């Protein structure tokens, strides 16, 4: 990587060299259909990951840019240097750890199952999913879990909103997705119900390209400061 930081402090981050005014740009890859972690209101990106990433960029004196793309393309984009890091409510998992480096975990979550409230009596335990039509977001840990369900017919969508629409219109029976975004979709929607407690805990972390130890160290240091000052848990 070329060190193109005008301040000359040696911060060569990734391979991209965009300079905006004085500040180097730090590009976050995400999929912004995942409230409360990343979502859009008009042209603005909001959510916990956005706030954490902004706090990191501020500590590094860099300008945060957001690149919104399909979840299942994020790690390829990272490894192709199209983004500097990924913050997308992404769960640490062994397969991903082969491809990228993760930061410290910053959030505990788990996969939940969203169903139509009218069907609730049929969903007493996880075996109720067997043979069902299950919608997921492509490339997620929920997708992996759905693929393991016996005789299930799995539809992988780009956006969780499409998976939820498929549930509402009856073309699928259930959506496997992360617990907090599941609650966001179900909030104020009497027709939907969220089931939790069927799947193991997962931990969210940000992902950085393997070998980009400089950015990894900088982000980890920013996390340490945020943990110390209470910005991050
Ligand atoms: N936690 C799940 C995973 O890592 C889903 C993350 C989806 N994130 C998103 N921004 N759409 O696979």
């Amino acid at each position: 990587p070329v060190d193109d930081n005008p301040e000359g402090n040696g911060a060569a981050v990734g391979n991209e060299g965009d300079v905006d005014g004085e500040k180097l740009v730090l590009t976050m890859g995400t999929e912004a259909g995942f409230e409360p972690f990343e979502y859009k209101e008009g042209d603005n990106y909001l959510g916990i990951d956005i706030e954490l990433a902004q706090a990191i960029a501020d500590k590094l004196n860099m300008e945060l840019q957001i690149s919104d793309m399909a979840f299942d393309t994020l790690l390829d984009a990272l490894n192709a240097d199209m983004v500097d890091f990924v913050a997308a409510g992404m769960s640490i998992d062994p397969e991903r750890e082969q491809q990228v480096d993760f930061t410290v975990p910053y959030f505990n979550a788990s996969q939940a199952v969203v169903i139509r409230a009218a069907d609730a009596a049929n969903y007493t335990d996880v075996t109720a999913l067997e043979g069902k039509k299950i919608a997921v977001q492509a490339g997620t840990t929920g997708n992996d879990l759905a693929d393991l369900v016996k005789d299930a017919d799995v539809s992988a969508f780009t956006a969780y909103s499409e998976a939820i629409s498929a549930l509402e219109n009856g073309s699928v029976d259930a959506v496997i997705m992360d617990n907090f975004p599941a609650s966001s979709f179900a909030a104020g929607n009497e027709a939907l119900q969220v089931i939790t407690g069927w799947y193991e805990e997962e931990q969210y972390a940000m992902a950085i390209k393997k070998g980009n130890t400089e950015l990894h160290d900088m982000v980890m240091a920013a996390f340490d400061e945020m943990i110390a000052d209470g910005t991050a848990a």
Side-chain angles (χ1 to χ4, degrees), residues 75-89:
L75 296 189
D76 284 345
L78 180 63
N79 283 330
D81 296 315
M82 291 160 65
V83 300
D84 294 311
F85 70 108
V86 169

Side-chain angles (χ1 to χ4, degrees), residues 197-208:
W198 285 357
Y199 297 112
E200 283 170 22
E201 190 168 271
E202 299 180 2
Q203 294 186 308
Y204 295 167
M206 296 185 188
I208 293 170

Side-chain angles (χ1 to χ4, degrees), residues 31 34 38 71 88-91 96 137 140-141 160 178 204:
E31 190 282 316
F34 200 62
E38 43 267 335
F71 186 80
M90 182 174 278
S91 307
R96 291 173 182 163
Q137 182 175 63
T140 58
T141 49
Y160 280 118
D178 299 53
Y204 295 167

